[in-house]
Amino acid sequence: MNIYLDIDQVLIKKDSKPADYVSEFLKYITDKHNVYWLTTHCRGNAQVTAQYLQDKLPDEVLPCLDKIKSTNWQTLKTEAIDFSQDFRWLDDYVMQAESNVLAENNAKEKIILINLKSEPDKLKQIMNII
């Protein structure tokens, strides 16, 4: 399965600290799935994204970042999603236009919205369902 991954409010909290269970989560998804960055921090260059995260994530997960592929999109994040493959998209917010694209592709159930403030253990929960 393809996993499309946002960073802010998904892997990193508002205070720039790592989300709870981020190490276990990144190790799990990069071992089990094809993972892609779907974030404003990556528009075609995964190396830039890894550099952005170097001082924000625990050192033990930095090798996992090398396994995550880049995406490139202009306006909507959905431009980078391969709808011909099974996927999950992890993000803290989806614009209405992106939600419409998901609906048009019968994929509204593929988005997993994350709110680290109200569900600090969400990454742990996700490992049990993907």
Side-chain angles (χ1 to χ4, degrees):
M1 176 184 337
N2 291 340
I3 305 292
Y4 295 96
L5 193 57
D6 189 24
I7 293 175
D8 298 315
Q9 314 314 312
V10 174
L11 301 179
I12 305 295
K13 300 177 197 176
K14 279 192 185 237
D15 62 3
S16 294
K17 295 205 180 346
D20 295 348
Y21 305 101
V22 73
S23 296
E24 299 91 336
F25 175 76
L26 285 171
K27 288 176 187 174
Y28 175 80
I29 65 167
T30 57
D31 283 346
K32 304 280 185 194
H33 301 285
N34 297 313
V35 185
Y36 297 86
W37 293 120
L38 195 52
T39 173
T40 56
H41 299 288
C42 181
R43 299 252 177 122
N45 189 340
Q47 196 61 34
V48 171
T49 310
Q51 289 172 344
Y52 169 76
L53 289 169
Q54 260 187 333
D55 63 343
K56 293 173 178 54
L57 293 175
D59 289 343
E60 75 255 11
V61 297
L62 296 180
C64 297
L65 303 183
D66 293 334
K67 298 178 183 179
I68 303 176
K69 301 168 189 84
S70 65
T71 58
N72 203 357
W73 51 280
Q74 297 300 314
T75 306
L76 302 177
K77 289 181 177 179
T78 49
E79 295 168 19
I81 295 175
D82 179 354
F83 287 98
S84 71
Q85 302 290 317
D86 190 19
F87 73 91
R88 296 298 179 274
W89 174 17
L90 284 61
D91 211 313
D92 64 311
Y93 176 78
V94 176
M95 294 189 310
Q96 184 60 51
E98 293 167 331
S99 184
N100 293 345
V101 172
L102 290 172
E104 291 165 10
N105 286 278
N106 296 314
K108 282 194 85 152
E109 76 285 353
K110 305 291 186 177
I111 183 76
I112 300 174
L113 290 174
I114 297 177
N115 182 331
L116 294 175
K117 188 171 184 176
S118 66
E119 295 180 286
D121 66 340
K122 187 68 173 185
L123 295 182
K124 182 177 180 183
Q125 294 172 22
I126 292 169
M127 286 187 288
N128 292 324
I129 61 171
I130 61 172

